[in-house]
Amino acid sequence: MQPVLHAAAMVPLSIPSPSWSGFDIPLPWGTLRIHAYALCILAGIIVGLWLTSVRWKRRGAPEGSLWDIAIWAIPLGIIGGRLYHVFSSPDAYFGPGFDGTGDLSLIPQIQRGGLGIWGAVVLGAFGAWIGCRRAGLKLTAFLDAAAPGLLLAQAIGRWGNWFNQELFGAPTNLPWGLQIDPANANFPAGMPADTLFHPTFLYESLWNLLGVALLLVLDRRFHFRRGRLFWLYAMYYTVGRVWIEALRIDDAEQITLFGLTTRLNVWTSILVFLVALVIFLLLGRGGRPVPDSPYLPGREPKEEPAVRDGSVTSVTSHDVDPSVSDSGSRDNLPDNQSDPGHVDEPQKAAGDSVGATQAAQESKPAATAARKAPGSSPEGDDTK
């Protein structure tokens, strides 16, 4: 068995780079290039929204509210992700040391790659807040529902780096090393053409998929509320991002803190982890929270009045056929099935009122005849 394992380890294995990165759609004025990177991002958004919709519905959110929130969160998330990438890797856009030799026209070209997750999360959360406020829903409830879906979207979107042959790690001799086309602009200068690199896109994708399963299991067990699952997502993701980011060799802004110089994304991940940990612990004080409503206070839907069965008629209904009297049927019932205090007395009063009315009508002709009789007073005819 040992020789077999040794022989398997000696077999040169690697992950090839794709030869396909998109396709063209012919148009009357030219062609439209559809990049595989954009397709991966789109696929991640779709799958992430699906998982979020399932969890959002289980939280009792109204039908269609997810799209009212997503229409704000997704565009702002993409803009925020791009802005963070531009300022965390500024050389291509502003030139080394911001000397003005960069190309500003590259900033809106998202199809070339480059979306920073932290900018996407911050502006995306701001967009979600706008959508939640307009829909009368709690942002914290939505973030808890969306956390696993967000991590799933990141796992799928990371494959766009593979198609673009970008954001790979340092050289490696591991059998799952990543091949990069030597003619690609991202291939490090001065390295042999057969150099293999750490597939950091794959590491992060697998890390995120594991995190999706972990978040779902923990949420099922502890029923996190008030945004705690979202902050747990932030802690989990940043732990993986620190060691994955440390493997990468692409150009990035370097920051020196406490005598240690490393990439900006590493420091950002450490800071986000500490902030998320503090908020998670503070929100957990006071014991296990009870399940809360996804609605903002005062924006809960009004309860509809109960609809009575049409076959059941109320005692006080005015739609009862007046030609049918229930007094006769009541007389046929045993005494112990009648309620004299609540049924007979009102009906007796109603009967007395009817009898008085009939007596008045019968006495009216007699009174008129008496007034017209000889010797009657003339003032009796002047009725106003």
Side-chain angles (χ1 to χ4, degrees):
M1 185 65 180
Q2 199 72 5
V4 174
L5 294 177
H6 181 72
M10 297 299 294
V11 174
L13 300 176
S14 62
I15 301 175
S17 289
S19 58
W20 178 85
S21 62
F23 58 92
D24 296 321
I25 298 179
L27 297 173
W29 55 86
T31 59
L32 174 64
R33 180 69 176 174
I34 304 298
H35 293 264
Y37 178 88
L39 294 178
C40 290
I41 298 296
L42 181 60
I45 292 174
I46 292 174
V47 177
L49 282 175
W50 165 78
L51 180 56
T52 302
S53 67
V54 173
R55 292 174 48 79
W56 191 226
K57 184 177 180 180
R58 290 176 180 173
R59 296 268 171 132
E63 188 80 19
S65 60
L66 174 63
W67 311 112
D68 297 333
I69 300 171
I71 199 173
W72 290 94
I74 293 175
L76 287 178
I78 293 175
I79 293 173
R82 186 58 175 177
L83 291 177
Y84 181 87
H85 166 76
V86 169
F87 286 100
S88 62
S89 303
D91 290 358
Y93 311 100
F94 304 101
F98 294 88
D99 59 5
T101 60
D103 187 358
L104 295 178
S105 66
L106 296 176
I107 293 178
Q109 299 183 34
I110 301 179
Q111 72 276 6
R112 299 172 64 95
L115 290 174
I117 183 60
W118 301 123
V121 169
V122 171
L123 270 191
F126 177 71
W129 176 80
I130 296 175
C132 286
R133 296 293 296 184
R134 291 169 61 91
L137 301 167
K138 295 179 182 177
L139 175 63
T140 54
F142 177 76
L143 292 179
D144 281 338
L150 176 59
L151 201 54
L152 180 59
Q154 292 174 236
I156 298 174
R158 270 300 171 195
W159 283 83
N161 300 142
W162 179 61
F163 284 101
N164 277 4
Q165 301 191 48
E166 61 181 1
L167 305 185
F168 44 84
T172 180
N173 293 322
L174 294 172
W176 55 81
L178 176 66
Q179 297 178 8
I180 298 296
D181 184 0
N184 190 285
N186 294 322
F187 192 90
M191 289 191 177
D194 60 350
T195 302
L196 300 180
F197 303 90
H198 279 286
T200 51
F201 81 92
L202 180 60
Y203 297 162
E204 185 168 334
S205 181
L206 295 176
W207 177 264
N208 291 347
L209 289 176
L210 179 62
V212 173
L214 181 62
L215 291 180
L216 292 175
V217 171
L218 291 177
D219 191 40
R220 181 185 293 269
R221 172 65 178 83
F222 296 103
H223 304 286
F224 292 112
R225 294 294 185 271
R226 297 184 295 169
R228 295 191 76 207
L229 189 68
F230 173 79
W231 293 111
L232 187 61
Y233 145 79
M235 286 189 289
Y236 176 85
Y237 178 72
T238 51
V239 168
R241 187 62 185 265
V242 166
W243 66 268
I244 293 173
E245 189 75 22
L247 291 174
R248 286 166 47 173
I249 58 175
D250 55 285
D251 293 334
E253 191 74 7
Q254 301 288 320
I255 303 294
T256 301
L257 291 174
F258 310 108
L260 177 63
T261 301
T262 188
R263 299 162 67 93
L264 172 61
N265 286 332
V266 173
W267 291 119
T268 303
S269 298
I270 294 174
L271 176 62
V272 171
F273 174 84
L274 295 176
V275 171
L277 176 61
V278 171
I279 296 177
F280 179 83
L281 294 176
L282 290 176
L283 291 175
R285 297 178 64 181
R288 179 178 175 182
V290 297
D292 60 339
S293 167
Y295 294 93
L296 288 170
R299 300 293 296 273
E300 297 87 354
K302 296 180 180 179
E303 294 185 2
E304 297 292 336
V307 180
R308 296 188 177 185
D309 187 356
S311 61
V312 178
T313 305
S314 173
V315 174
T316 59
S317 174
H318 296 284
D319 298 330
V320 180
D321 189 351
S323 63
V324 179
S325 174
D326 62 345
S327 60
S329 60
R330 238 189 352 264
D331 292 339
N332 297 330
L333 293 174
D335 293 340
N336 60 357
Q337 297 185 16
S338 176
D339 185 358
H342 299 283
V343 178
D344 293 344
E345 289 180 5
Q347 291 184 356
K348 180 179 179 181
D352 293 343
S353 176
V354 173
T357 303
Q358 292 176 349
Q361 291 177 349
E362 292 173 357
S363 63
K364 184 176 180 180
T368 304
R371 286 197 301 271
K372 293 182 178 181
S376 62
S377 174
E379 288 80 359
D381 293 336
D382 189 11
T383 57
K384 299 296 183 181

